[in-house]
Amino acid sequence: MSLPTPIHAPHHTSIHTMSLPKVPSFGQLEKLQQHTPVTPLPKRLPYTKPSIFEVVQRILKDLDGRDKSMKIIQYIIKILLYHHSNTHQSAHLKQLTGLASQFSITSQVLCLGNASGDVRQLFATKRDLPKQLLIINSIANAVSDDIYCLHRIGVLPHKAWGHYSEIISAHCWFLSITVGLNKNFESMCKAEVYGTQQELRLAQITLCKSVADLLFCGCDVFHLPFSKGIQAWSGFISGLLAGYKVYNRVQQ
């Protein structure tokens, strides 16, 4: 005798008795959105340009800023000395001469040890002989500057130290400026096509500074008879342009 087949299999829930989740209607969704708290986005703070006092304070705290500030003052004094030294000699001019010399020594002291960065870069540069030679030239320039500075402050009293280190420094710097002048010109050309207005202006300033440095250093290399006037003005222009770059960096 066959038993009747049950309508529902055991241990299984009928499809009619399953409680399926209800899909909310559009009205319910609108109510949920109205009651759901929305986290507001944080407001973007407006950029406030720092005051002149804050910018000057940042420049004086920055090592490069102090160096450029002293160079500007130093060459302002040298310009005054150049245009007034032929007319009359006075105690004030002698004081200005000593002041300019002290600014020069202080600037060189602040730059002591700059060769360390180039030495690290030299060890990190491999299979690029032209770049390695330029870095070696930069190291020789920095080391000779340090030796000349130590001679001026009396650590290396022999005149030979100061004489030869000054010659080596001038020739190494002249080579660096010549190579950098070409690179700066290429950077300016690229900035004219692809860069922003700010990038173009900075590239133009860098190129003009390189030209001023070339004039200044060329007087030391070629021993021009009218080098004092050229070095006074070219040094001032170079320091002023370098100071603007520092000012533009610290105010951001």
Side-chain angles (χ1 to χ4, degrees), residues 158-194:
H158 296 288
K159 292 184 179 180
W161 287 102
H163 176 70
Y164 290 110
S165 62
E166 186 179 14
I167 294 175
I168 294 172
S169 174
H171 285 78
C172 290
W173 190 32
F174 188 82
L175 179 60
S176 297
I177 295 170
T178 306
V179 176
L181 193 64
N182 184 33
K183 292 182 179 179
N184 293 334
F185 180 75
E186 292 177 355
S187 299
M188 189 191 69
C189 293
K190 290 181 181 179
E192 286 181 347
V193 180
Y194 304 106

PDB file of all heavy atoms in Angstrom, residues 158-194:
ATOM      1  N   HIS A 158      99.030  81.033   5.674  1.00  0.00           N
ATOM      2  CA  HIS A 158      99.971  81.178   4.565  1.00  0.00           C
ATOM      3  C   HIS A 158      99.267  81.791   3.351  1.00  0.00           C
ATOM      4  O   HIS A 158      98.150  81.407   2.992  1.00  0.00           O
ATOM      5  CB  HIS A 158     100.571  79.823   4.191  1.00  0.00           C
ATOM      6  CG  HIS A 158     101.406  79.227   5.291  1.00  0.00           C
ATOM      7  ND1 HIS A 158     102.646  79.727   5.644  1.00  0.00           N
ATOM      8  CD2 HIS A 158     101.163  78.180   6.125  1.00  0.00           C
ATOM      9  CE1 HIS A 158     103.136  79.011   6.646  1.00  0.00           C
ATOM     10  NE2 HIS A 158     102.263  78.068   6.955  1.00  0.00           N
ATOM     11  N   LYS A 159      99.943  82.728   2.715  1.00  0.00           N
ATOM     12  CA  LYS A 159      99.354  83.420   1.571  1.00  0.00           C
ATOM     13  C   LYS A 159      99.119  82.489   0.388  1.00  0.00           C
ATOM     14  O   LYS A 159      98.221  82.727  -0.419  1.00  0.00           O
ATOM     15  CB  LYS A 159     100.260  84.580   1.146  1.00  0.00           C
ATOM     16  CG  LYS A 159     100.315  85.716   2.155  1.00  0.00           C
ATOM     17  CD  LYS A 159     101.162  86.871   1.632  1.00  0.00           C
ATOM     18  CE  LYS A 159     101.190  88.027   2.627  1.00  0.00           C
ATOM     19  NZ  LYS A 159     102.007  89.164   2.128  1.00  0.00           N
ATOM     20  N   ALA A 160      99.930  81.452   0.286  1.00  0.00           N
ATOM     21  CA  ALA A 160      99.774  80.525  -0.841  1.00  0.00           C
ATOM     22  C   ALA A 160      98.410  79.843  -0.807  1.00  0.00           C
ATOM     23  O   ALA A 160      97.803  79.601  -1.862  1.00  0.00           O
ATOM     24  CB  ALA A 160     100.889  79.481  -0.818  1.00  0.00           C
ATOM     25  N   TRP A 161      97.920  79.526   0.402  1.00  0.00           N
ATOM     26  CA  TRP A 161      96.598  78.906   0.511  1.00  0.00           C
ATOM     27  C   TRP A 161      95.529  79.813  -0.087  1.00  0.00           C
ATOM     28  O   TRP A 161      94.681  79.381  -0.876  1.00  0.00           O
ATOM     29  CB  TRP A 161      96.274  78.611   1.973  1.00  0.00           C
ATOM     30  CG  TRP A 161      97.031  77.470   2.569  1.00  0.00           C
ATOM     31  CD1 TRP A 161      98.116  77.547   3.395  1.00  0.00           C
ATOM     32  CD2 TRP A 161      96.763  76.079   2.385  1.00  0.00           C
ATOM     33  NE1 TRP A 161      98.548  76.288   3.743  1.00  0.00           N
ATOM     34  CE2 TRP A 161      97.722  75.365   3.139  1.00  0.00           C
ATOM     35  CE3 TRP A 161      95.813  75.362   1.671  1.00  0.00           C
ATOM     36  CZ2 TRP A 161      97.761  73.979   3.192  1.00  0.00           C
ATOM     37  CZ3 TRP A 161      95.838  73.973   1.721  1.00  0.00           C
ATOM     38  CH2 TRP A 161      96.805  73.305   2.468  1.00  0.00           C
ATOM     39  N   GLY A 162      95.567  81.063   0.299  1.00  0.00           N
ATOM     40  CA  GLY A 162      94.567  81.999  -0.204  1.00  0.00           C
ATOM     41  C   GLY A 162      94.720  82.288  -1.684  1.00  0.00           C
ATOM     42  O   GLY A 162      93.725  82.391  -2.413  1.00  0.00           O
ATOM     43  N   HIS A 163      95.961  82.399  -2.149  1.00  0.00           N
ATOM     44  CA  HIS A 163      96.201  82.752  -3.554  1.00  0.00           C
ATOM     45  C   HIS A 163      95.710  81.653  -4.495  1.00  0.00           C
ATOM     46  O   HIS A 163      94.923  81.908  -5.419  1.00  0.00           O
ATOM     47  CB  HIS A 163      97.696  83.011  -3.759  1.00  0.00           C
ATOM     48  CG  HIS A 163      98.065  83.292  -5.185  1.00  0.00           C
ATOM     49  ND1 HIS A 163      97.711  84.463  -5.824  1.00  0.00           N
ATOM     50  CD2 HIS A 163      98.753  82.541  -6.099  1.00  0.00           C
ATOM     51  CE1 HIS A 163      98.158  84.438  -7.063  1.00  0.00           C
ATOM     52  NE2 HIS A 163      98.795  83.282  -7.259  1.00  0.00           N
ATOM     53  N   TYR A 164      96.165  80.434  -4.258  1.00  0.00           N
ATOM     54  CA  TYR A 164      95.830  79.348  -5.185  1.00  0.00           C
ATOM     55  C   TYR A 164      94.371  78.901  -5.046  1.00  0.00           C
ATOM     56  O   TYR A 164      93.734  78.525  -6.036  1.00  0.00           O
ATOM     57  CB  TYR A 164      96.775  78.168  -4.974  1.00  0.00           C
ATOM     58  CG  TYR A 164      98.187  78.449  -5.430  1.00  0.00           C
ATOM     59  CD1 TYR A 164      99.230  78.585  -4.514  1.00  0.00           C
ATOM     60  CD2 TYR A 164      98.480  78.614  -6.781  1.00  0.00           C
ATOM     61  CE1 TYR A 164     100.523  78.856  -4.929  1.00  0.00           C
ATOM     62  CE2 TYR A 164      99.774  78.892  -7.208  1.00  0.00           C
ATOM     63  CZ  TYR A 164     100.783  79.011  -6.278  1.00  0.00           C
ATOM     64  OH  TYR A 164     102.060  79.289  -6.701  1.00  0.00           O
ATOM     65  N   SER A 165      93.849  78.928  -3.836  1.00  0.00           N
ATOM     66  CA  SER A 165      92.442  78.541  -3.667  1.00  0.00           C
ATOM     67  C   SER A 165      91.511  79.534  -4.353  1.00  0.00           C
ATOM     68  O   SER A 165      90.480  79.146  -4.924  1.00  0.00           O
ATOM     69  CB  SER A 165      92.098  78.439  -2.183  1.00  0.00           C
ATOM     70  OG  SER A 165      92.256  79.689  -1.535  1.00  0.00           O
ATOM     71  N   GLU A 166      91.873  80.802  -4.349  1.00  0.00           N
ATOM     72  CA  GLU A 166      91.056  81.806  -5.035  1.00  0.00           C
ATOM     73  C   GLU A 166      91.073  81.588  -6.548  1.00  0.00           C
ATOM     74  O   GLU A 166      90.033  81.707  -7.218  1.00  0.00           O
ATOM     75  CB  GLU A 166      91.565  83.206  -4.696  1.00  0.00           C
ATOM     76  CG  GLU A 166      90.688  84.319  -5.242  1.00  0.00           C
ATOM     77  CD  GLU A 166      91.206  85.692  -4.867  1.00  0.00           C
ATOM     78  OE1 GLU A 166      92.372  85.791  -4.417  1.00  0.00           O
ATOM     79  OE2 GLU A 166      90.454  86.673  -5.036  1.00  0.00           O
ATOM     80  N   ILE A 167      92.234  81.241  -7.089  1.00  0.00           N
ATOM     81  CA  ILE A 167      92.337  80.991  -8.532  1.00  0.00           C
ATOM     82  C   ILE A 167      91.530  79.748  -8.927  1.00  0.00           C
ATOM     83  O   ILE A 167      90.771  79.760  -9.909  1.00  0.00           O
ATOM     84  CB  ILE A 167      93.814  80.829  -8.936  1.00  0.00           C
ATOM     85  CG1 ILE A 167      94.561  82.150  -8.746  1.00  0.00           C
ATOM     86  CG2 ILE A 167      93.927  80.362 -10.388  1.00  0.00           C
ATOM     87  CD1 ILE A 167      96.051  82.049  -8.998  1.00  0.00           C
ATOM     88  N   ILE A 168      91.689  78.676  -8.160  1.00  0.00           N
ATOM     89  CA  ILE A 168      90.957  77.435  -8.469  1.00  0.00           C
ATOM     90  C   ILE A 168      89.454  77.658  -8.361  1.00  0.00           C
ATOM     91  O   ILE A 168      88.671  77.206  -9.212  1.00  0.00           O
ATOM     92  CB  ILE A 168      91.412  76.304  -7.523  1.00  0.00           C
ATOM     93  CG1 ILE A 168      92.876  75.954  -7.793  1.00  0.00           C
ATOM     94  CG2 ILE A 168      90.534  75.066  -7.692  1.00  0.00           C
ATOM     95  CD1 ILE A 168      93.470  74.991  -6.779  1.00  0.00           C
ATOM     96  N   SER A 169      89.035  78.370  -7.329  1.00  0.00           N
ATOM     97  CA  SER A 169      87.609  78.631  -7.139  1.00  0.00           C
ATOM     98  C   SER A 169      87.026  79.428  -8.303  1.00  0.00           C
ATOM     99  O   SER A 169      85.931  79.120  -8.794  1.00  0.00           O
ATOM    100  CB  SER A 169      87.398  79.390  -5.824  1.00  0.00           C
ATOM    101  OG  SER A 169      86.053  79.778  -5.685  1.00  0.00           O
ATOM    102  N   ALA A 170      87.751  80.442  -8.754  1.00  0.00           N
ATOM    103  CA  ALA A 170      87.247  81.282  -9.846  1.00  0.00           C
ATOM    104  C   ALA A 170      87.097  80.483 -11.138  1.00  0.00           C
ATOM    105  O   ALA A 170      86.075  80.596 -11.833  1.00  0.00           O
ATOM    106  CB  ALA A 170      88.190  82.468 -10.060  1.00  0.00           C
ATOM    107  N   HIS A 171      88.083  79.651 -11.462  1.00  0.00           N
ATOM    108  CA  HIS A 171      88.013  78.884 -12.708  1.00  0.00           C
ATOM    109  C   HIS A 171      86.945  77.789 -12.640  1.00  0.00           C
ATOM    110  O   HIS A 171      86.241  77.541 -13.637  1.00  0.00           O
ATOM    111  CB  HIS A 171      89.384  78.277 -13.022  1.00  0.00           C
ATOM    112  CG  HIS A 171      90.377  79.272 -13.540  1.00  0.00           C
ATOM    113  ND1 HIS A 171      91.043  80.164 -12.716  1.00  0.00           N
ATOM    114  CD2 HIS A 171      90.809  79.530 -14.807  1.00  0.00           C
ATOM    115  CE1 HIS A 171      91.849  80.920 -13.447  1.00  0.00           C
ATOM    116  NE2 HIS A 171      91.734  80.560 -14.716  1.00  0.00           N
ATOM    117  N   CYS A 172      86.817  77.139 -11.498  1.00  0.00           N
ATOM    118  CA  CYS A 172      85.770  76.111 -11.363  1.00  0.00           C
ATOM    119  C   CYS A 172      84.384  76.736 -11.429  1.00  0.00           C
ATOM    120  O   CYS A 172      83.468  76.177 -12.053  1.00  0.00           O
ATOM    121  CB  CYS A 172      85.944  75.358 -10.046  1.00  0.00           C
ATOM    122  SG  CYS A 172      87.393  74.285  -9.975  1.00  0.00           S
ATOM    123  N   TRP A 173      84.231  77.882 -10.797  1.00  0.00           N
ATOM    124  CA  TRP A 173      82.929  78.550 -10.826  1.00  0.00           C
ATOM    125  C   TRP A 173      82.601  79.040 -12.232  1.00  0.00           C
ATOM    126  O   TRP A 173      81.453  78.962 -12.674  1.00  0.00           O
ATOM    127  CB  TRP A 173      82.920  79.712  -9.837  1.00  0.00           C
ATOM    128  CG  TRP A 173      81.559  80.309  -9.625  1.00  0.00           C
ATOM    129  CD1 TRP A 173      80.360  79.655  -9.678  1.00  0.00           C
ATOM    130  CD2 TRP A 173      81.257  81.675  -9.344  1.00  0.00           C
ATOM    131  NE1 TRP A 173      79.326  80.529  -9.443  1.00  0.00           N
ATOM    132  CE2 TRP A 173      79.842  81.769  -9.230  1.00  0.00           C
ATOM    133  CE3 TRP A 173      82.033  82.815  -9.156  1.00  0.00           C
ATOM    134  CZ2 TRP A 173      79.200  82.977  -8.949  1.00  0.00           C
ATOM    135  CZ3 TRP A 173      81.388  84.014  -8.863  1.00  0.00           C
ATOM    136  CH2 TRP A 173      79.988  84.091  -8.768  1.00  0.00           C
ATOM    137  N   PHE A 174      83.601  79.526 -12.952  1.00  0.00           N
ATOM    138  CA  PHE A 174      83.377  79.990 -14.323  1.00  0.00           C
ATOM    139  C   PHE A 174      82.896  78.841 -15.207  1.00  0.00           C
ATOM    140  O   PHE A 174      81.986  79.015 -16.039  1.00  0.00           O
ATOM    141  CB  PHE A 174      84.667  80.593 -14.885  1.00  0.00           C
ATOM    142  CG  PHE A 174      84.498  81.266 -16.210  1.00  0.00           C
ATOM    143  CD1 PHE A 174      84.012  82.561 -16.292  1.00  0.00           C
ATOM    144  CD2 PHE A 174      84.823  80.605 -17.390  1.00  0.00           C
ATOM    145  CE1 PHE A 174      83.848  83.190 -17.517  1.00  0.00           C
ATOM    146  CE2 PHE A 174      84.665  81.222 -18.620  1.00  0.00           C
ATOM    147  CZ  PHE A 174      84.178  82.520 -18.684  1.00  0.00           C
ATOM    148  N   LEU A 175      83.482  77.658 -15.027  1.00  0.00           N
ATOM    149  CA  LEU A 175      83.044  76.496 -15.795  1.00  0.00           C
ATOM    150  C   LEU A 175      81.614  76.100 -15.438  1.00  0.00           C
ATOM    151  O   LEU A 175      80.799  75.793 -16.326  1.00  0.00           O
ATOM    152  CB  LEU A 175      83.997  75.325 -15.546  1.00  0.00           C
ATOM    153  CG  LEU A 175      83.662  74.007 -16.255  1.00  0.00           C
ATOM    154  CD1 LEU A 175      83.659  74.193 -17.771  1.00  0.00           C
ATOM    155  CD2 LEU A 175      84.655  72.914 -15.855  1.00  0.00           C
ATOM    156  N   SER A 176      81.292  76.125 -14.154  1.00  0.00           N
ATOM    157  CA  SER A 176      79.930  75.781 -13.723  1.00  0.00           C
ATOM    158  C   SER A 176      78.906  76.769 -14.266  1.00  0.00           C
ATOM    159  O   SER A 176      77.811  76.374 -14.694  1.00  0.00           O
ATOM    160  CB  SER A 176      79.858  75.745 -12.192  1.00  0.00           C
ATOM    161  OG  SER A 176      80.695  74.750 -11.661  1.00  0.00           O
ATOM    162  N   ILE A 177      79.257  78.044 -14.261  1.00  0.00           N
ATOM    163  CA  ILE A 177      78.330  79.059 -14.776  1.00  0.00           C
ATOM    164  C   ILE A 177      78.109  78.872 -16.270  1.00  0.00           C
ATOM    165  O   ILE A 177      76.977  78.989 -16.766  1.00  0.00           O
ATOM    166  CB  ILE A 177      78.870  80.470 -14.479  1.00  0.00           C
ATOM    167  CG1 ILE A 177      78.923  80.723 -12.977  1.00  0.00           C
ATOM    168  CG2 ILE A 177      77.996  81.523 -15.136  1.00  0.00           C
ATOM    169  CD1 ILE A 177      79.655  81.997 -12.603  1.00  0.00           C
ATOM    170  N   THR A 178      79.179  78.581 -17.004  1.00  0.00           N
ATOM    171  CA  THR A 178      79.063  78.407 -18.456  1.00  0.00           C
ATOM    172  C   THR A 178      78.142  77.242 -18.804  1.00  0.00           C
ATOM    173  O   THR A 178      77.278  77.351 -19.686  1.00  0.00           O
ATOM    174  CB  THR A 178      80.454  78.178 -19.070  1.00  0.00           C
ATOM    175  OG1 THR A 178      81.329  79.240 -18.682  1.00  0.00           O
ATOM    176  CG2 THR A 178      80.373  78.132 -20.581  1.00  0.00           C
ATOM    177  N   VAL A 179      78.308  76.125 -18.092  1.00  0.00           N
ATOM    178  CA  VAL A 179      77.437  74.970 -18.332  1.00  0.00           C
ATOM    179  C   VAL A 179      76.011  75.274 -17.885  1.00  0.00           C
ATOM    180  O   VAL A 179      75.037  74.950 -18.574  1.00  0.00           O
ATOM    181  CB  VAL A 179      77.987  73.729 -17.606  1.00  0.00           C
ATOM    182  CG1 VAL A 179      77.032  72.545 -17.757  1.00  0.00           C
ATOM    183  CG2 VAL A 179      79.367  73.360 -18.140  1.00  0.00           C
ATOM    184  N   GLY A 180      75.886  75.913 -16.730  1.00  0.00           N
ATOM    185  CA  GLY A 180      74.555  76.231 -16.225  1.00  0.00           C
ATOM    186  C   GLY A 180      73.821  77.243 -17.074  1.00  0.00           C
ATOM    187  O   GLY A 180      72.587  77.226 -17.142  1.00  0.00           O
ATOM    188  N   LEU A 181      74.563  78.124 -17.736  1.00  0.00           N
ATOM    189  CA  LEU A 181      73.930  79.130 -18.589  1.00  0.00           C
ATOM    190  C   LEU A 181      73.182  78.472 -19.743  1.00  0.00           C
ATOM    191  O   LEU A 181      72.065  78.875 -20.092  1.00  0.00           O
ATOM    192  CB  LEU A 181      74.997  80.089 -19.115  1.00  0.00           C
ATOM    193  CG  LEU A 181      74.520  81.389 -19.766  1.00  0.00           C
ATOM    194  CD1 LEU A 181      73.804  82.259 -18.751  1.00  0.00           C
ATOM    195  CD2 LEU A 181      75.700  82.143 -20.360  1.00  0.00           C
ATOM    196  N   ASN A 182      73.785  77.457 -20.329  1.00  0.00           N
ATOM    197  CA  ASN A 182      73.133  76.735 -21.424  1.00  0.00           C
ATOM    198  C   ASN A 182      71.881  76.009 -20.928  1.00  0.00           C
ATOM    199  O   ASN A 182      70.825  76.035 -21.576  1.00  0.00           O
ATOM    200  CB  ASN A 182      74.121  75.741 -22.036  1.00  0.00           C
ATOM    201  CG  ASN A 182      73.551  75.026 -23.245  1.00  0.00           C
ATOM    202  OD1 ASN A 182      72.767  75.592 -23.994  1.00  0.00           O
ATOM    203  ND2 ASN A 182      73.933  73.772 -23.431  1.00  0.00           N
ATOM    204  N   LYS A 183      71.986  75.372 -19.759  1.00  0.00           N
ATOM    205  CA  LYS A 183      70.829  74.661 -19.202  1.00  0.00           C
ATOM    206  C   LYS A 183      69.705  75.631 -18.838  1.00  0.00           C
ATOM    207  O   LYS A 183      68.522  75.341 -19.059  1.00  0.00           O
ATOM    208  CB  LYS A 183      71.253  73.856 -17.976  1.00  0.00           C
ATOM    209  CG  LYS A 183      72.177  72.687 -18.288  1.00  0.00           C
ATOM    210  CD  LYS A 183      72.509  71.908 -17.031  1.00  0.00           C
ATOM    211  CE  LYS A 183      73.405  70.718 -17.342  1.00  0.00           C
ATOM    212  NZ  LYS A 183      73.750  69.950 -16.111  1.00  0.00           N
ATOM    213  N   ASN A 184      70.068  76.762 -18.285  1.00  0.00           N
ATOM    214  CA  ASN A 184      69.046  77.741 -17.903  1.00  0.00           C
ATOM    215  C   ASN A 184      68.341  78.324 -19.126  1.00  0.00           C
ATOM    216  O   ASN A 184      67.136  78.614 -19.078  1.00  0.00           O
ATOM    217  CB  ASN A 184      69.684  78.864 -17.088  1.00  0.00           C
ATOM    218  CG  ASN A 184      70.188  78.380 -15.744  1.00  0.00           C
ATOM    219  OD1 ASN A 184      69.692  77.399 -15.191  1.00  0.00           O
ATOM    220  ND2 ASN A 184      71.183  79.059 -15.211  1.00  0.00           N
ATOM    221  N   PHE A 185      69.084  78.488 -20.216  1.00  0.00           N
ATOM    222  CA  PHE A 185      68.456  78.981 -21.448  1.00  0.00           C
ATOM    223  C   PHE A 185      67.472  77.953 -22.001  1.00  0.00           C
ATOM    224  O   PHE A 185      66.367  78.306 -22.449  1.00  0.00           O
ATOM    225  CB  PHE A 185      69.529  79.303 -22.484  1.00  0.00           C
ATOM    226  CG  PHE A 185      68.983  79.818 -23.786  1.00  0.00           C
ATOM    227  CD1 PHE A 185      68.499  81.117 -23.884  1.00  0.00           C
ATOM    228  CD2 PHE A 185      68.940  79.002 -24.907  1.00  0.00           C
ATOM    229  CE1 PHE A 185      67.977  81.595 -25.084  1.00  0.00           C
ATOM    230  CE2 PHE A 185      68.424  79.474 -26.104  1.00  0.00           C
ATOM    231  CZ  PHE A 185      67.943  80.769 -26.198  1.00  0.00           C
ATOM    232  N   GLU A 186      67.844  76.677 -21.964  1.00  0.00           N
ATOM    233  CA  GLU A 186      66.935  75.624 -22.417  1.00  0.00           C
ATOM    234  C   GLU A 186      65.696  75.545 -21.524  1.00  0.00           C
ATOM    235  O   GLU A 186      64.575  75.339 -22.013  1.00  0.00           O
ATOM    236  CB  GLU A 186      67.658  74.281 -22.433  1.00  0.00           C
ATOM    237  CG  GLU A 186      68.753  74.181 -23.491  1.00  0.00           C
ATOM    238  CD  GLU A 186      69.493  72.857 -23.432  1.00  0.00           C
ATOM    239  OE1 GLU A 186      69.210  72.063 -22.499  1.00  0.00           O
ATOM    240  OE2 GLU A 186      70.342  72.613 -24.311  1.00  0.00           O
ATOM    241  N   SER A 187      65.882  75.718 -20.224  1.00  0.00           N
ATOM    242  CA  SER A 187      64.742  75.692 -19.303  1.00  0.00           C
ATOM    243  C   SER A 187      63.789  76.852 -19.575  1.00  0.00           C
ATOM    244  O   SER A 187      62.563  76.693 -19.504  1.00  0.00           O
ATOM    245  CB  SER A 187      65.236  75.752 -17.856  1.00  0.00           C
ATOM    246  OG  SER A 187      66.049  74.640 -17.547  1.00  0.00           O
ATOM    247  N   MET A 188      64.340  78.010 -19.905  1.00  0.00           N
ATOM    248  CA  MET A 188      63.490  79.156 -20.214  1.00  0.00           C
ATOM    249  C   MET A 188      62.703  78.919 -21.499  1.00  0.00           C
ATOM    250  O   MET A 188      61.512  79.271 -21.587  1.00  0.00           O
ATOM    251  CB  MET A 188      64.339  80.418 -20.343  1.00  0.00           C
ATOM    252  CG  MET A 188      63.519  81.698 -20.456  1.00  0.00           C
ATOM    253  SD  MET A 188      64.507  83.139 -20.915  1.00  0.00           S
ATOM    254  CE  MET A 188      64.935  82.727 -22.606  1.00  0.00           C
ATOM    255  N   CYS A 189      63.346  78.307 -22.495  1.00  0.00           N
ATOM    256  CA  CYS A 189      62.644  78.013 -23.751  1.00  0.00           C
ATOM    257  C   CYS A 189      61.508  77.014 -23.525  1.00  0.00           C
ATOM    258  O   CYS A 189      60.419  77.151 -24.099  1.00  0.00           O
ATOM    259  CB  CYS A 189      63.632  77.472 -24.781  1.00  0.00           C
ATOM    260  SG  CYS A 189      64.866  78.679 -25.327  1.00  0.00           S
ATOM    261  N   LYS A 190      61.740  76.018 -22.686  1.00  0.00           N
ATOM    262  CA  LYS A 190      60.678  75.051 -22.379  1.00  0.00           C
ATOM    263  C   LYS A 190      59.546  75.708 -21.604  1.00  0.00           C
ATOM    264  O   LYS A 190      58.364  75.402 -21.818  1.00  0.00           O
ATOM    265  CB  LYS A 190      61.256  73.886 -21.581  1.00  0.00           C
ATOM    266  CG  LYS A 190      62.174  72.972 -22.383  1.00  0.00           C
ATOM    267  CD  LYS A 190      62.691  71.839 -21.524  1.00  0.00           C
ATOM    268  CE  LYS A 190      63.621  70.934 -22.322  1.00  0.00           C
ATOM    269  NZ  LYS A 190      64.162  69.827 -21.493  1.00  0.00           N
ATOM    270  N   ALA A 191      59.905  76.604 -20.690  1.00  0.00           N
ATOM    271  CA  ALA A 191      58.875  77.280 -19.898  1.00  0.00           C
ATOM    272  C   ALA A 191      58.014  78.190 -20.768  1.00  0.00           C
ATOM    273  O   ALA A 191      56.829  78.388 -20.484  1.00  0.00           O
ATOM    274  CB  ALA A 191      59.521  78.080 -18.774  1.00  0.00           C
ATOM    275  N   GLU A 192      58.589  78.750 -21.830  1.00  0.00           N
ATOM    276  CA  GLU A 192      57.809  79.592 -22.735  1.00  0.00           C
ATOM    277  C   GLU A 192      56.728  78.797 -23.459  1.00  0.00           C
ATOM    278  O   GLU A 192      55.662  79.326 -23.779  1.00  0.00           O
ATOM    279  CB  GLU A 192      58.737  80.250 -23.759  1.00  0.00           C
ATOM    280  CG  GLU A 192      59.592  81.373 -23.194  1.00  0.00           C
ATOM    281  CD  GLU A 192      60.475  81.999 -24.255  1.00  0.00           C
ATOM    282  OE1 GLU A 192      60.593  81.391 -25.349  1.00  0.00           O
ATOM    283  OE2 GLU A 192      61.049  83.067 -23.999  1.00  0.00           O
ATOM    284  N   VAL A 193      57.010  77.514 -23.707  1.00  0.00           N
ATOM    285  CA  VAL A 193      56.072  76.689 -24.473  1.00  0.00           C
ATOM    286  C   VAL A 193      55.137  75.906 -23.554  1.00  0.00           C
ATOM    287  O   VAL A 193      53.918  75.879 -23.759  1.00  0.00           O
ATOM    288  CB  VAL A 193      56.846  75.721 -25.398  1.00  0.00           C
ATOM    289  CG1 VAL A 193      55.873  74.866 -26.206  1.00  0.00           C
ATOM    290  CG2 VAL A 193      57.766  76.501 -26.329  1.00  0.00           C
ATOM    291  N   TYR A 194      55.698  75.274 -22.529  1.00  0.00           N
ATOM    292  CA  TYR A 194      54.921  74.344 -21.714  1.00  0.00           C
ATOM    293  C   TYR A 194      54.637  74.843 -20.297  1.00  0.00           C
ATOM    294  O   TYR A 194      53.747  74.308 -19.635  1.00  0.00           O
ATOM    295  CB  TYR A 194      55.657  72.999 -21.607  1.00  0.00           C
ATOM    296  CG  TYR A 194      55.977  72.368 -22.942  1.00  0.00           C
ATOM    297  CD1 TYR A 194      57.279  72.366 -23.437  1.00  0.00           C
ATOM    298  CD2 TYR A 194      54.979  71.785 -23.718  1.00  0.00           C
ATOM    299  CE1 TYR A 194      57.586  71.792 -24.653  1.00  0.00           C
ATOM    300  CE2 TYR A 194      55.274  71.213 -24.942  1.00  0.00           C
ATOM    301  CZ  TYR A 194      56.581  71.214 -25.408  1.00  0.00           C
ATOM    302  OH  TYR A 194      56.880  70.648 -26.620  1.00  0.00           O
TER     303      TYR A 194
END
